[in-house]
């Protein structure tokens, strides 16, 4: 029973494909791909609509107010109202803008966000686009987002857009390094670049209650935290949302976009957040595996989406808690702390592996990470509570 | 892969490759170059070389082009757009390009290897990431390490050069 419930979506797809059994192969292939795409878009557009209203409600609660509660029961139809408003707004294109580039940027940014969602396994046998180098594909497509941001900033022909795009690209390029380097220990330990193989490597439980997820090892926990912080930066979320700091540069690279194009940027940002969280779940939180052995009867996709929503809640929680950081603080943090710690994770994972992946390895890798962490914090300590700001190039 | 996809991507590559040099606007040229790289990645993937194709996108379309665009942003764009056509340079370039094309065609028409089709890969299902890794860390290990040291030297050099006047 639980087996068939677990595979219900896979069986449904097989059933639809079996209706087409008399047709040539390419029809089946195309229909199969279309089913995957529409399922992906349907699920994530629904989550997007839900999260946009839930975020406002949770933030409201954190700031001691109600949040949206007028449209529909508990304000749940707010995304519909927002969507209609966005669709009927006038689409303004600046007179001096590069029309083609200005038009293509939101399309490219949304396309890359949707493509990155494709390689993540959402449940047992439920990977929309299963390829060997899935992790690499994720980062290759993700790095194209920088080009889209550049196109938006440059095509708008506005100094705020340009400044926002430069800030966004600078921080994305800087944090892409720790993001990719922290996935390396996982890839090394699992010995595979495909998300399905990485999830298979995290199968099993110690004593039936401790799952063999990579986050339960010291290097995995450190890498998970680093990955999560880099993910915050890559998706331009608070406290790293300087590219669209309203009080400084209006809305960054999105300043000159209105109506549906602005909504597309908004959507792409949330889809990017889902993709990074989904990859974090896949790499460190055991993907669709249940947290304890006795709960394995619950379908795999439910576990995946529970973990995803837990991570999304942390995103919103952080947004409600922390103020915006400065640009120079973000850059220093990336190069002086994140990158050395990311490399340490690789060494700690190697120590863990060569100590036999047991308790001894666990303690040794914890020792490696602790030593490097303490050394780094000693070296980076400025002894001053507030270092004076230096303006090197403005004299 | 169906051959029409090869012609599609090859055509896209040629068109955007030409646009790189035809465009007056440096940013438009750079963006055309990105499309050209993406077409090349698609061609690699059609040869079952997924890894090379993805690395092509990651390194060239992702990292190198962002660097190009950053540098172009720091230059004076208007000067390039105002520049008029230099007929002497144009004629010289045209002659060189045509003679190069004639030469390549002549060499290809005389080589025996160009007349026969290449044999297919030993097994199209092989794990190409593993193959690249084995070759890189096995047979070509020493050159790989040397390149690593070279890049480190370049990085240190850049830091020394850029920090000099700040002291």
């Amino acid at each position: 029973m639980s087996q068939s419930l677990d595979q219900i979506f896979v069986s449904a797809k097989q059933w639809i494909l079996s209706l087409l059994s008399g047709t040539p192969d390419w029809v089946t292939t195309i229909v199969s791909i279309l089913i995957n795409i529409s399922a992906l878009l349907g699920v994530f557009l629904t989550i997007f609509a839900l999260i946009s209203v839930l975020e406002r409600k949770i933030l409201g609660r954190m700031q001691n107010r109600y949040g949206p509660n007028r449209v529909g029961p508990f304000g749940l139809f707010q995304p519909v109202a927002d969507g209609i408003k966005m669709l009927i707004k006038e689409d303004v294109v600046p007179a001096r803008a590069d029309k083609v580039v200005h038009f293509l940027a939101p399309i490219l940014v949304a396309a890359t966000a949707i493509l990155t969602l494709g390689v993540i396994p959402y449940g047992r046998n439920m990977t929309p686009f299963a390829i060997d180098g899935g992790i690499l594909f994720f980062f290759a497509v993700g790095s194209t987002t920088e080009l889209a941001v550049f196109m938006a900033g440059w095509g708008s022909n506005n100094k705020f857009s340009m400044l926002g795009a430069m800030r966004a690209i600078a921080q994305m390029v800087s944090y892409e390094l720790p993001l990719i380097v922290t996935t390396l220990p996982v890839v090394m330990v699992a010995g595979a670049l495909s998300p399905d193989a990485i999830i298979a490597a995290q199968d099993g439980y110690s004593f039936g209650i401790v799952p063999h997820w990579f986050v339960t090892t010291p290097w995995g926990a450190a890498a998970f935290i680093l990955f999560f912080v880099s993910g915050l930066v890559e998706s331009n979320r608070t406290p790293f949302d300087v590219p669209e700091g309203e009080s400084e540069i209006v809305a960054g690279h999105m300043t000159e976009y209105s109506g549906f194009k602005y909504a597309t940027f908004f959507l792409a940002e949330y889809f990017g957040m889902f993709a990074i969280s989904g990859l974090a779940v896949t790499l460190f939180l055991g993907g669709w595996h249940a947290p304890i052995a006795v709960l394995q009867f619950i379908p795999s996709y439910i576990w995946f989406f529970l973990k995803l929503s837990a991570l999304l809640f942390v995103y919103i929680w952080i947004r409600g808690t922390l103020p915006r950081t400065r640009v120079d603080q973000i850059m220093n943090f990336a190069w002086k702390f994140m990158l050395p710690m990311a490399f340490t994770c690789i060494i700690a994972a190697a120590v863990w592996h060569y100590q036999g992946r047991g308790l001894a390895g666990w303690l040794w890798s914890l020792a490696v990470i602790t030593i490097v962490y303490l050394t780094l914090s000693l070296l980076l300590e400025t002894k001053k509570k507030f270092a004076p700001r230096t303006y090197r190039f403005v004299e | 892969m169906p051959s029409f996809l090869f012609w599609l991507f090859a055509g896209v590559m040629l068109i955007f490759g030409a646009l790189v040099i035809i465009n007056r606007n440096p940013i438009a040229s750079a963006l055309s170059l990105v499309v050209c790289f993406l077409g090349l990645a698609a061609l690699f993937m059609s040869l079952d070389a997924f890894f090379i194709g993805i690395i092509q996108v990651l390194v060239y379309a992702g990292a190198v082009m962002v660097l190009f665009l950053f540098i172009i942003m720091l230059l004076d764009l208007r000067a390039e757009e105002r520049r008029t056509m230099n007929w002497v340079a144009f004629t010289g370039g045209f002659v060189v390009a045509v003679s190069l094309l004639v030469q390549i065609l002549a060499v290809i028409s005389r080589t025996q290897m160009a007349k026969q089709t290449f044999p297919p890969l030993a097994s199209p299902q092989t794990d190409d990431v593993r193959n690249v890794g084995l070759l890189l860390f096995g047979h070509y290990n020493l050159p790989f390490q040397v390149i690593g040291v070279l890049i480190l030297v370049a990085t240190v050099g850049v830091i020394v050069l850029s920090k000099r006047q700040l002291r």
Side-chain angles (χ1 to χ4, degrees):
Chain A
M1 177 59 204
S2 69
Q3 189 66 32
S4 60
L5 205 61
D6 187 36
Q7 295 296 304
I8 185 164
F9 295 113
V10 181
S11 327
K13 189 186 155 189
Q14 294 299 336
W15 178 73
I16 295 175
L17 288 183
S18 69
L19 295 180
L20 300 163
S21 53
T23 51
D25 265 357
W26 58 270
V27 175
T28 326
T29 316
I30 288 177
V31 170
S32 162
I33 294 170
L34 282 180
I35 291 173
N36 285 354
I37 294 173
S38 44
L40 196 70
L41 281 181
V43 167
F44 277 99
L45 283 174
T46 316
I47 296 183
F48 168 64
L50 274 176
I51 205 92
S52 67
V53 64
L54 280 180
E55 172 161 26
R56 289 167 67 185
K57 282 187 96 72
I58 295 171
L59 277 181
R61 286 293 169 175
M62 285 177 181
Q63 294 157 355
N64 212 3
R65 57 187 172 84
Y66 281 116
N69 62 354
R70 294 288 107 181
V71 194
F74 307 109
L76 276 178
F77 293 155
Q78 186 69 38
V80 182
D82 285 345
I84 294 172
K85 185 193 105 180
M86 285 293 191
L87 274 175
I88 58 178
K89 260 189 171 179
E90 188 191 351
D91 178 36
V92 183
V93 181
R96 294 288 307 274
D98 188 323
K99 300 280 186 306
V100 181
V101 176
H102 186 268
F103 175 75
L104 282 178
I107 298 175
L108 185 60
V109 80
T112 54
I114 294 167
L115 271 178
T116 49
L117 281 172
V119 293
I120 296 166
Y122 296 103
R124 197 175 275 118
N125 306 328
M126 280 167 67
T127 314
F129 179 43
I131 54 170
D132 275 345
I135 304 289
L136 268 176
F137 179 86
F138 185 97
F139 290 121
V141 174
S143 70
T144 322
T145 316
E146 287 149 24
L147 283 174
V149 168
F150 173 82
M151 283 163 73
W154 186 80
S156 305
N157 206 350
N158 174 328
K159 68 183 109 172
F160 293 121
S161 303
M162 196 71 244
L163 280 172
M166 285 183 90
R167 282 185 181 190
I169 294 170
Q171 78 175 41
M172 277 165 137
V173 168
S174 309
Y175 277 86
E176 212 165 40
L177 272 155
L179 193 73
I180 295 179
V181 172
T182 46
T183 57
L184 278 186
V186 175
V187 170
M188 277 162 53
V189 168
L193 275 170
S194 88
D196 294 292
I198 286 172
I199 288 180
Q202 301 181 66
D203 197 6
Y205 304 88
S206 304
F207 319 114
I209 45 165
V210 182
H212 288 177
W213 302 350
F214 290 134
V215 78
T216 56
T217 59
W219 59 267
F224 172 64
I225 295 169
L226 294 173
F227 187 91
F228 190 77
V229 173
S230 311
L232 274 177
V233 182
E234 290 288 315
S235 45
N236 288 342
R237 295 280 301 181
T238 338
F240 302 108
D241 61 344
V242 283
E244 47 197 284
E246 301 91 347
S247 50
E248 301 154 25
I249 48 171
V250 196
H253 56 273
M254 299 181 276
T255 305
E256 293 291 356
Y257 285 93
S258 60
F260 197 62
K261 285 181 189 160
Y262 180 78
T264 313
F265 271 106
F266 199 63
L267 178 104
E269 204 163 277
Y270 274 82
F271 271 26
M273 191 167 103
F274 299 154
I276 285 279
S277 312
L279 194 66
V281 169
T282 305
L283 289 173
F284 301 104
L285 299 181
W288 38 260
H289 284 305
I292 52 176
V294 287
L295 288 177
Q296 277 172 315
F297 68 91
I298 296 177
S300 53
Y301 44 87
I302 291 187
W303 282 119
F304 180 87
F305 282 105
L306 275 180
K307 290 172 189 173
L308 185 72
S309 27
L311 281 188
L312 293 179
F313 176 73
V314 178
Y315 269 96
I316 298 170
W317 189 7
I318 290 176
R319 182 174 168 188
T321 312
L322 294 174
R324 187 178 292 144
T325 45
R326 278 193 336 243
V327 180
D328 59 325
Q329 288 172 332
I330 295 180
M331 288 299 150
N332 280 343
F333 188 60
W335 295 102
K336 293 183 180 167
F337 179 77
M338 299 283 285
L339 198 58
M341 279 310 285
F343 284 128
T344 313
C345 287
I346 298 182
I347 297 169
V351 169
W352 179 78
H353 176 73
Y354 285 109
Q355 286 289 323
R357 302 193 175 197
L359 188 65
W362 202 91
L363 292 172
W364 273 111
S365 67
L366 182 66
V368 169
I369 287 178
T370 318
I371 290 169
V372 175
Y373 177 77
L374 291 178
T375 322
L376 270 181
S377 34
L378 266 180
L379 287 175
L380 295 178
E381 173 72 56
T382 47
K383 303 284 181 211
K384 282 170 279 183
K385 256 199 161 160
F386 297 102
R389 255 169 116 171
T390 47
Y391 297 92
R392 278 175 180 158
F393 302 107
V394 193
E395 244 123 31
Chain B
M1 122 170 145
S3 62
F4 79 90
L5 279 182
F6 168 80
W7 293 111
L8 176 71
F9 287 120
V12 164
M13 269 191 75
L14 285 178
I15 291 170
F16 280 89
L19 279 178
V20 172
I21 48 173
I22 290 172
N23 266 318
R24 281 284 102 184
N25 188 333
I27 298 270
S29 295
L31 291 176
S32 311
L33 194 56
V34 173
V35 181
C36 193
F37 283 149
L38 292 181
L40 188 59
L43 287 184
F44 274 130
M45 286 188 187
S46 71
L47 295 171
D48 286 324
F50 267 102
F51 182 70
I52 309 289
I54 290 171
I55 290 296
Q56 171 82 22
V57 176
L58 187 65
V59 173
Y60 283 95
V64 173
M65 286 318 295
V66 170
L67 198 70
F68 274 23
L69 289 170
F70 248 93
I71 292 167
I72 291 172
M73 275 195 281
L74 299 175
L75 300 177
D76 185 14
L77 294 180
R78 302 278 167 245
E80 182 65 28
E81 275 178 34
R82 275 198 304 269
R83 216 180 64 186
T84 49
M85 202 147 149
N86 185 343
W87 279 104
V88 180
F90 178 79
T91 322
F94 188 75
V95 168
V96 169
V98 167
S99 56
L100 189 68
L101 185 69
V102 167
Q103 201 171 2
I104 289 173
L105 283 178
V107 170
I108 287 176
S109 66
R110 279 182 204 176
T111 334
Q112 283 305 311
M113 242 163 74
K115 292 201 175 75
Q116 64 211 23
T117 46
F118 276 94
L121 293 175
S123 159
Q125 295 304 318
T126 46
D127 188 354
D128 57 339
V129 181
R130 182 174 296 273
N131 286 345
V132 170
L134 284 176
L135 212 58
L136 204 59
F137 292 101
H139 192 242
Y140 295 108
N141 196 9
L142 183 67
F144 183 70
Q145 305 285 347
V146 171
I147 289 173
V149 174
L150 194 70
I151 291 173
L152 185 68
V153 169
T155 315
V156 174
V158 166
I159 292 171
V160 168
L161 284 177
S162 59
K163 285 273 176 188
R164 190 187 287 160
Q165 61 267 55
L166 288 177
R167 207 174 286 140

